[in-house]
Amino acid sequence: DAGVTQSPTHLIKTRGQQVTLRCSPISGHKSVSWYQQVLGQGPQFIFQYYEKEERGRGNFPDRFSARQFPNYSSELNVNALLLGDSALYLCASSFETGGYQETQYFGPGTRLLVL
Amino acid sequence: AQTVTQSQPEMSVQEAETVTLSCTYDTSENNYYLFWYKQPPSRQMILVIRQEAYKQQNATENRFSVNFQKAAKSFSLKISDSQLGDTAMYFCAFMKWGKTQGGSEKLVFGKGTKLTVNP
């Protein structure tokens, strides 16, 4: 079975530009979460989506937005990029049953460098 | 709010030996999961082991086992018979467990422990 997939693997942008990152969850998983991992730190929660609706948002500015599609894939958008947005962006998917969320499984990440 | 603390930024171990990574957490929740994830240089975050807080029995997965002390809010990972492929960053993570009721259940991570297995 295919795991969580993310594209692109690497991305270089300049300050002020906009970027879109993509994620496809494990088949059968309807929940997708996004995390930002800066060098030397643990991942920080950005968003969680379930059944196309935003379930939760971390402490990130409005420049960060996301959406989930009918096939449960997801996009993370970041506008007006800053140097500090350089990080590894991780997508995780999970199964939910009876209202209980299960273990999150991660994709390989997208490395974003802002120059 | 939950916090996760990993007090060992770096550790090293000889191949075939045993090593224990420490993690403490703070929460007022009673129902939760605790996880250890491994992130090798290839950067993919891989689940190592999961512990449900309501279970008294410590989780084991082959060479990996945990020592879960709920009252002390401690969750250490023991790696037996260390292998070169165990070299990675190890992250301890907390997730509240329960009916989501439309809310999100996010993972809260520690800062990680860099483990090097030496030949």
Side-chain angles (χ1 to χ4, degrees):
Chain A
D1 286 344
V4 178
T5 60
Q6 292 186 244
S7 63
T9 55
H10 294 84
L11 208 49
I12 300 175
K13 293 285 189 179
T14 56
R15 282 177 295 174
Q17 285 189 311
Q18 174 263 341
V19 68
T20 298
L21 311 180
R22 296 176 176 83
C23 170
S24 291
I26 292 170
S27 178
H29 288 191
K30 298 180 179 180
S31 180
V32 170
S33 301
W34 287 95
Y35 294 83
Q36 181 195 64
Q37 185 180 18
V38 300
L39 202 60
Q41 299 292 320
Q44 297 289 318
F45 173 73
I46 310 175
F47 283 110
Q48 187 176 89
Y49 276 78
Y50 178 74
E51 291 276 18
K52 297 173 287 179
E53 292 194 2
E54 182 182 306
R55 271 271 189 81
R57 183 188 184 109
N59 188 23
F60 281 81
D62 291 345
R63 300 184 296 106
F64 288 77
S65 63
R67 55 179 175 168
Q68 188 177 33
F69 299 98
N71 66 353
Y72 305 111
S73 67
S74 177
E75 286 182 352
L76 175 70
N77 296 285
V78 187
N79 293 322
L81 285 166
L82 303 175
L83 296 179
D85 295 331
S86 295
L88 179 66
Y89 288 85
L90 295 166
C91 174
S93 75
S94 60
F95 186 70
E96 187 168 310
T97 178
Y100 292 87
Q101 187 178 123
E102 297 296 329
T103 301
Q104 295 185 22
Y105 294 91
F106 285 83
T110 295
R111 173 74 68 190
L112 172 65
L113 177 61
V114 182
L115 301 176
Chain B
Q2 292 79 26
T3 59
V4 176
T5 302
Q6 294 179 250
S7 59
Q8 305 151 315
E10 291 193 42
M11 294 190 72
S12 63
V13 65
Q14 292 300 120
E15 198 174 5
E17 293 188 346
T18 295
V19 64
T20 298
L21 308 184
S22 300
C23 172
T24 59
Y25 59 95
D26 190 26
T27 184
S28 58
E29 301 289 338
N30 195 45
N31 295 318
Y32 49 88
Y33 288 143
L34 293 165
F35 303 89
W36 281 97
Y37 284 92
K38 164 187 176 181
Q39 190 176 41
S42 65
R43 81 187 184 214
Q44 174 108 35
M45 191 78 76
I46 301 165
L47 176 69
V48 175
I49 200 164
R50 181 181 91 174
Q51 175 76 45
E52 293 89 338
Y54 66 86
K55 290 186 177 178
Q56 291 189 341
Q57 187 173 8
N58 289 324
T60 61
E61 286 289 343
N62 301 314
R63 298 183 295 107
F64 299 88
S65 61
V66 298
N67 183 3
F68 173 48
Q69 302 289 328
K70 190 173 183 180
K73 295 180 180 173
S74 168
F75 183 60
S76 61
L77 174 69
K78 186 172 84 171
I79 306 174
S80 304
D81 185 26
S82 296
Q83 300 175 1
L84 296 178
D86 295 334
T87 293
M89 285 290 291
Y90 285 81
F91 291 96
C92 178
F94 170 102
M95 187 175 86
K96 194 171 63 172
W97 182 80
K99 282 227 170 185
T100 57
Q101 297 178 326
S104 66
E105 302 301 356
K106 64 181 181 182
L107 285 164
V108 177
F109 287 87
K111 290 188 175 181
T113 295
K114 183 178 180 182
L115 176 67
T116 301
V117 180
N118 298 308

